Amino acid sequence: MTTFIDSAATALHLITSLDSQLITIVGRSLAVSASASAMACALGLVLGAWLGVARFAGRGALLTLLNTFLAVPSVVVGLVIYLLLSRSGPLGYLGWLFSFKAMVLAQAVLVLPVVTALTRQVVEDVQLQHGEQLQSLGARPLLRSLLLAWDERYALLTVIIAGFGRAVSEVGAVMIVGGNIDGFTRVMTTAIALETSKGDLPLALGLGLILLGVVWLLNACISLLKRWRQTHEAGALASPVLGVSV
């Protein structure tokens, strides 16, 4: 109990004093996750919106494969990317292994199925309500998917936040392809694992508290977005009635 209290007190001191090592690790972690989320969302939102509207042979098998990727362990993704980027691998000439770029790539691969699957579900649900109307107006699948995605843009903001949460809390893949090199590729999750094994509990606990705070902030943003969307939609439905009464 004394060890926990002492570690917690020291961890809070590291946070409040803006310890340089802690801040560096947190900044690098957020940069990696933000970059990976941006890459994954740029592709996943479009692909997911299209899958929500398009109908083609083999679509069911593709969706099954997509849902399977949602459950793939991060260490497996890290292993595959490690083999691709290793000196003898097909992408070894890039020289990305144990670098910032390798970690971004690994997290992007992990986030992509999440963003794609959630976007597909959002767009497919609204497609059942408005898809036939757009189709009757001559809109092709790609245009319909983009229009429906824009109509559900507030829900898709939640998808983006969920994707970032998946990235920032990941540990296995970035540890494999990044190497957890101090000052270069060490992020919050890998640092927590390493510092705990070394017995440096205050730093590990401080990083854990910050990571917990980031996850809490993401969930708070999702709740606020849902509440704001409900208020916005209620106002949009009420405005015609107000117009008539005036």
Side-chain angles (χ1 to χ4, degrees):
M1 186 66 178
T2 303
T3 302
F4 176 81
I5 294 175
D6 292 341
S7 297
T10 306
L12 290 175
H13 175 71
L14 291 175
I15 296 174
T16 55
S17 63
L18 300 179
D19 179 76
S20 59
Q21 183 182 12
L22 184 143
I23 295 301
T24 299
I25 293 173
V26 171
R28 184 182 303 112
S29 181
L30 295 178
V32 169
S33 299
S35 301
S37 299
M39 290 177 54
C41 289
L43 178 59
L45 290 173
V46 176
L47 180 58
W50 178 74
L51 285 174
V53 171
R55 297 295 182 268
F56 53 89
R59 179 177 180 273
L62 180 59
L63 294 183
T64 300
L65 181 62
L66 176 62
N67 292 331
T68 300
F69 282 141
L70 292 174
V72 172
S74 60
V75 289
V76 175
V77 173
L79 174 60
V80 172
I81 295 179
Y82 178 91
L83 294 174
L84 292 174
L85 296 178
S86 64
R87 188 180 299 273
S88 58
L91 301 179
Y93 66 91
L94 294 174
W96 285 7
L97 195 60
F98 304 136
S99 70
F100 183 94
K101 294 179 180 178
M103 294 192 298
V104 170
L105 178 60
Q107 287 194 357
V109 171
L110 284 168
V111 173
L112 180 60
V114 176
V115 174
T116 303
L118 292 178
T119 302
R120 194 272 309 173
Q121 188 61 60
V122 169
V123 173
E124 186 166 341
D125 289 343
V126 74
Q127 153 80 4
L128 297 176
Q129 302 175 12
H130 307 295
E132 292 184 0
Q133 181 180 0
L134 291 174
Q135 188 173 3
S136 66
L137 295 174
R140 290 184 172 274
L142 180 58
L143 179 58
R144 292 205 310 274
S145 66
L146 295 177
L147 290 174
L148 294 173
W150 174 253
D151 187 59
E152 293 296 310
R153 57 192 179 278
Y154 304 119
L156 294 182
L157 285 175
T158 303
V159 172
I160 294 173
I161 294 174
F164 180 80
R166 174 72 173 95
V168 77
S169 60
E170 193 282 322
V171 57
V174 293
M175 183 174 288
I176 292 175
V177 302
N180 201 20
I181 303 172
D182 188 18
F184 293 96
T185 60
R186 187 164 296 171
V187 295
M188 284 191 286
T189 50
T190 61
I192 290 171
L194 177 65
E195 299 304 328
T196 300
S197 65
K198 289 168 52 179
D200 190 354
L201 300 180
L203 179 58
L205 186 57
L207 290 169
L209 290 173
I210 293 178
L211 183 58
L212 183 62
V214 170
V215 174
W216 175 85
L217 182 60
L218 292 174
N219 282 282
C221 289
I222 291 175
S223 298
L224 289 174
L225 279 172
K226 288 181 178 179
R227 185 176 302 177
W228 184 85
R229 183 189 180 196
Q230 291 172 353
T231 304
H232 177 75
E233 290 178 346
L237 291 174
S239 58
V241 178
L242 293 176
V244 172
S245 63
V246 173

